[in-house]
Amino acid sequence: MTANWTELGDRCWVRRYPEWDLNIGVVAGSAGVLVIDTHATVSYATSLLDDVRQLVPGSEVRWAVNTHAHFDHTFGNSVFADAGVTVISQENAAAQLLERGPLLQQRYVENPGVDPDFPTIPADVIAEIAVAPVVAASETFAVAKVIDLGDRRVELLHLGNGHTDGDIVVLVPDADVIFTGDLVESSGPPSYGDDCYPLDWPDTLDRIVGLLTATTRVVPGHGPVVDAEFVRDQGGEIGSVANNISGLHHNGATLDYALRHDEWPYPTAQLADAVRRGYEQLGGVRRTLPMA
């Protein structure tokens, strides 16, 4: 371990930042350094860039990758872009950041000081998020991209929708490490927001499992590093959510009834957006049974 960085494999590190229990990845090669996610504010990102430069002194930070569009992973993009770093994301994530980022900021401007979704965020941090420059990736891709770090490669893969429609995993083959962003979470239940794809998510996780070995270190978006078994187990739970939504819809349950359903692997209150999004994807309500 170097300071607060944990080396998971050859020149491949992770650091858990206490804000949002956020994992930031670093991969170094002979041609430069790649950073995975850029944090949530200008000040956090500035500190992050300093931390990375101290971790790999003498090496140029050349690439920053967004695992998806959410602010805690992307609102530091401007700091990296201003430093000459190439910021990369899946094309849907870049578009979503430009569309949804300002809407989040406007919500903070209109309701300063508190975020009901993240009640532990201090008021001064919310104020900083509200004015952070929203900078999307300068390079995007659709399905896959390989970054040549000189003596090694890093693979960026969009394996399907799940937490959002722009999720990617970052695979470091020679270190047997994969960074999954919020497709996998170990600090708590997976986060189903109003841009999630609950019915697609299980298949996307199946594809991730197909990339793993018995020794792969899996870095979730938030929380401790996990292994393939953890991903399989969480995939089963996410599959159960999808099956429940599909079953309720197929049986004619109204949306209100489905929102009151309590047979889930996660707390019901955390699945409201998942149920709504699933019903939207399935085309509304099939009224075949007299469910209230």
Side-chain angles (χ1 to χ4, degrees):
M1 181 179 290
T2 303
N4 293 313
W5 296 94
T6 299
E7 190 166 13
L8 302 173
D10 176 34
R11 294 167 295 160
C12 182
W13 297 270
V14 65
R15 181 167 176 173
R16 287 175 67 184
Y17 283 82
E19 308 86 18
W20 300 278
D21 198 10
L22 177 67
N23 285 324
I24 300 290
V26 170
V27 185
S30 61
V33 176
L34 178 147
V35 179
I36 301 161
D37 286 329
T38 64
H39 221 315
T41 69
V42 168
S43 61
Y44 284 150
T46 300
S47 295
L48 166 60
L49 189 53
D50 289 342
D51 291 341
V52 173
R53 287 169 171 161
Q54 292 175 34
L55 174 67
V56 283
S59 296
E60 181 184 3
V61 180
R62 294 187 56 192
W63 307 273
V65 175
N66 296 153
T67 58
H68 60 290
H70 291 164
F71 78 94
D72 47 328
H73 301 259
T74 61
F75 271 25
N77 282 358
S78 66
V79 170
F80 285 80
D82 289 347
V85 177
T86 299
V87 181
I88 304 168
S89 78
Q90 202 274 342
E91 59 191 15
N92 294 336
Q96 189 184 90
L97 175 58
L98 292 178
E99 177 183 353
R100 294 173 61 90
L103 296 177
L104 171 69
Q105 292 180 310
Q106 184 61 32
R107 186 177 75 181
Y108 285 164
V109 169
E110 295 173 354
N111 302 281
V114 177
D115 184 335
D117 296 327
F118 299 98
T120 60
I121 302 178
D124 60 330
V125 175
I126 289 179
E128 191 174 356
I129 294 170
V131 297
V134 178
V135 174
S138 56
E139 290 189 11
T140 64
F141 65 97
V143 177
K145 182 179 180 66
V146 175
I147 302 178
D148 183 359
L149 273 64
D151 58 343
R152 69 197 313 187
R153 73 181 192 279
V154 171
E155 300 174 10
L156 313 181
L157 304 172
H158 175 57
L159 299 175
N161 299 332
H163 181 62
T164 71
D165 66 355
D167 299 301
I168 65 170
V169 300
V170 181
L171 182 63
V172 190
D174 64 347
D176 198 17
V177 173
I178 188 169
F179 296 83
T180 66
D182 289 3
L183 285 167
V184 177
E185 291 196 47
S186 61
S187 59
S191 177
Y192 288 93
D194 63 2
D195 55 350
C196 70
Y197 289 80
L199 306 185
D200 299 354
W201 202 334
D203 288 340
T204 301
L205 282 180
D206 281 346
R207 297 182 189 107
I208 292 176
V209 169
L211 299 173
L212 308 181
T213 72
T215 58
T216 302
R217 309 294 298 276
V218 181
V219 183
H222 307 267
V225 174
V226 298
D227 58 12
E229 182 179 1
F230 180 94
V231 179
R232 289 189 190 94
D233 289 345
Q234 189 159 97
E237 293 169 348
I238 288 174
S240 175
V241 171
N243 289 338
N244 280 351
I245 293 170
S246 296
L248 287 163
H249 181 271
H250 178 76
N251 289 327
T254 66
L255 177 58
D256 286 344
Y257 180 93
L259 289 169
R260 298 195 304 271
H261 183 71
D262 60 3
E263 296 180 9
W264 305 102
Y266 306 124
T268 302
Q270 297 180 24
L271 294 172
D273 282 325
V275 175
R276 293 189 186 96
R277 293 280 292 176
Y279 265 56
E280 288 172 7
Q281 189 171 350
L282 291 166
V285 180
R286 296 173 63 253
R287 298 185 182 279
T288 58
L289 293 177
M291 290 185 173

